[in-house]
């Protein structure tokens, strides 16, 4: 299950219905796709897309997405840090960012035009749609592992536009999953 952290309000949301209701005013969809635990960790990309064909087709129809693929990131992925550095600075896209986590985890931070930044830790079974134009950034957790289905309206629209606000500088990617390692002494 996802975890929403409102650092400035010292508030954490963990209930999926509460999270969906909190995110809805920002145009963010949050849903649970159960069943990824039935897929072997070494499932191929086509097997993953096939296992989730039904919800993927529903999302495509709902959001006008035309293609879906699977991204697979591991600590040994070549050029991992360069890849992560593209997305861990505040940016926005010309099209929606839609992700469904099949394995691993990661954290989206959302920076609404009015109101404080909040973090969304996404784990296996979580689906999110961040609407085009939303200021956000993304970090992996310490295990640097994520496998996710991505949906696109037009892959050319998914280039990051950087806001250069450096809002991300004040936020650590807090991950509450099994890989979360508290700082020594805390
Ligand atoms: Fe992004």
């Amino acid at each position: 299950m996802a975890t929403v952290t409102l650092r400035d309000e010292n508030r954490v949301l963990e209930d999926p219905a509460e999270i969906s209701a909190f995110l809805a005013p920002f145009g963010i969809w949050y849903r649970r796709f159960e069943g990824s635990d039935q897929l072997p960790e070494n499932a191929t990309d086509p097997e993953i897309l096939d296992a989730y064909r039904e919800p993927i087709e529903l999302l495509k129809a709902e959001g006008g997405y035309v293609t879906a693929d699977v991204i697979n990131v591991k600590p040994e992925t070549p050029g991992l840090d360069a890849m992560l550095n593209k997305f861990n600075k505040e940016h926005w896209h010309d099209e929606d960012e839609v992700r469904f986590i099949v394995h691993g985890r990661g954290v989206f931070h959302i920076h609404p035009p009015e109101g404080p930044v909040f973090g969304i830790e996404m784990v296996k079974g979580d689906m999110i749609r961040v609407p085009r134009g939303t200021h956000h950034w993304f970090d992996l957790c310490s295990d640097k592992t994520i496998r996710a289905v991505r949906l696109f309206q037009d892959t050319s629209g998914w280039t990051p536009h950087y806001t250069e606000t450096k809002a991300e500088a004040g936020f650590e990617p807090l991950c509450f999953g099994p890989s979360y390692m508290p700082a020594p002494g805390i």
Side-chain angles (χ1 to χ4, degrees), residues 8 26 32 36 39 54 76 90 97 106 109 111 113 115 119 123-124 130 132 134 140 162 173 186:
D8 295 354
F26 303 103
R32 288 282 305 164
S36 57
L39 275 172
E54 198 176 315
E76 58 269 31
E90 188 173 84
E97 186 160 335
H109 277 94
H111 190 179
V123 300
K124 185 162 74 174
V130 178
R132 66 181 72 188
T134 303
L140 289 181
Y162 297 102
I186 294 179

Side-chain angles (χ1 to χ4, degrees), residues 7 88-90 109 111 117 137 139 164-173:
R7 188 193 66 175
N88 64 10
K89 297 169 185 61
E90 188 173 84
H109 277 94
H111 190 179
V117 170
W137 64 93
D139 292 283
E164 309 289 353
T165 63
K166 303 204 182 329
E168 69 279 356
F171 291 85
E172 288 294 315

Side-chain angles (χ1 to χ4, degrees), residues 87 91-93 97 99 108 136-138 158 160:
F87 300 113
H91 64 274
W92 53 279
H93 306 278
E97 186 160 335
R99 300 289 180 270
F108 280 95
H136 67 280
W137 64 93
F138 179 79
W158 199 61

